[in-house]
Amino acid sequence: MLKEFRKEKAPEFSFLSFDPFHLLNRMRFDFPKTESKRIYVYVQSQPALASVRYNDQSADIHVHSVLNHPHTPKEVMMFIFRHELLHLEIPPRVVEGKSTSHPPEFWDAERSLCPERTIAWIWLKLVLFACLKVDRKREGTYVKSNWKRLMSIDRPTLEQVAEMVSFVNTTGKEEEELIL
């Protein structure tokens, strides 16, 4: 029994500058299928940057420890929560003979429900680029196991990131879909 417990990483105290549970509850109104569910947020070390596990009564959103920092912007967490809540609204399905947890209607809904999507991904790429790996086959963004050693830069604010990329023409080609 003790060995099993050690395999599952224990949740951490949040070091975020805001209450993630309160933030999540404010956003739930955009997701009608979540109204009857109890939803919990856990910050813990895990392979994925974020994930959701759910059944008919409840859902658990797990966010990786790499984001558990007072300088992680609220908008980044809003985007991650919306992405995970969308999984409760839009189930996996088969597209062109392949099972996918992110069908085309998922990406359409994410674009319309997540105004912070682009800047959140820019922040994630800029700040956590050394720690993340995107696995398109498994449809996920994963955190490298040695992420603590790879985190060597300060975390800029969302506003600082927006200033850094303000010269980029945002009306050009839409960026590829990235997966949480």
Side-chain angles (χ1 to χ4, degrees):
M1 183 67 129
L2 187 56
K3 244 183 184 177
E4 274 184 44
F5 178 75
R6 286 186 187 155
K7 284 182 189 176
E8 186 73 26
K9 300 284 185 178
E12 302 171 10
F13 289 109
S14 172
F15 294 113
L16 297 166
S17 61
F18 51 88
D19 180 352
F21 188 71
H22 178 70
L23 179 66
L24 175 71
N25 281 328
R26 284 192 6 233
M27 297 169 34
R28 287 181 64 178
F29 298 109
D30 293 332
F31 301 90
K33 291 184 181 177
T34 69
E35 288 175 8
S36 63
K37 291 186 188 297
R38 287 174 290 146
I39 301 181
Y40 302 96
V41 176
Y42 298 97
V43 178
Q44 65 189 91
S45 197
Q46 63 176 15
L49 182 61
S51 61
V52 63
R53 298 177 193 135
Y54 57 93
N55 58 40
D56 291 337
Q57 293 83 30
S58 66
D60 296 338
I61 295 177
H62 297 263
V63 179
H64 194 281
S65 303
V66 73
L67 294 167
N68 192 12
H69 190 280
H71 294 136
T72 297
K74 181 169 51 171
E75 294 82 0
V76 170
M77 294 304 289
M78 289 170 65
F79 166 65
I80 289 171
F81 288 159
R82 285 187 175 122
H83 179 97
E84 298 307 330
L85 288 169
L86 267 173
H87 284 294
L88 304 177
E89 298 280 320
I90 302 170
R93 70 178 182 87
V94 175
V95 176
E96 297 176 5
K98 181 185 173 203
S99 179
T100 178
S101 57
H102 299 93
E105 60 273 18
F106 182 96
W107 297 122
D108 293 341
E110 184 181 271
R111 274 190 289 280
S112 67
L113 286 171
C114 303
E116 68 286 328
R117 177 180 190 258
T118 300
I119 193 67
W121 268 117
I122 291 170
W123 187 90
L124 287 164
K125 286 179 185 178
L126 181 69
V127 176
L128 304 178
F129 71 95
C131 304
L132 301 179
K133 55 186 173 186
V134 175
D135 186 337
R136 297 208 181 278
K137 189 173 183 177
R138 290 175 41 204
E139 294 188 69
T141 299
Y142 297 90
V143 180
K144 296 175 183 175
S145 59
N146 60 342
W147 67 271
K148 287 181 183 177
R149 282 188 292 143
L150 298 172
M151 284 300 304
S152 60
I153 63 168
D154 289 330
R155 295 179 186 215
T157 66
L158 212 57
E159 293 76 21
Q160 289 169 325
V161 168
E163 285 176 22
M164 285 184 234
V165 297
S166 64
F167 64 91
V168 176
N169 180 3
T170 58
T171 60
K173 184 181 172 188
E174 192 168 322
E175 72 179 63
E176 280 183 70
E177 303 294 356
L178 293 171
I179 305 164
L180 291 173

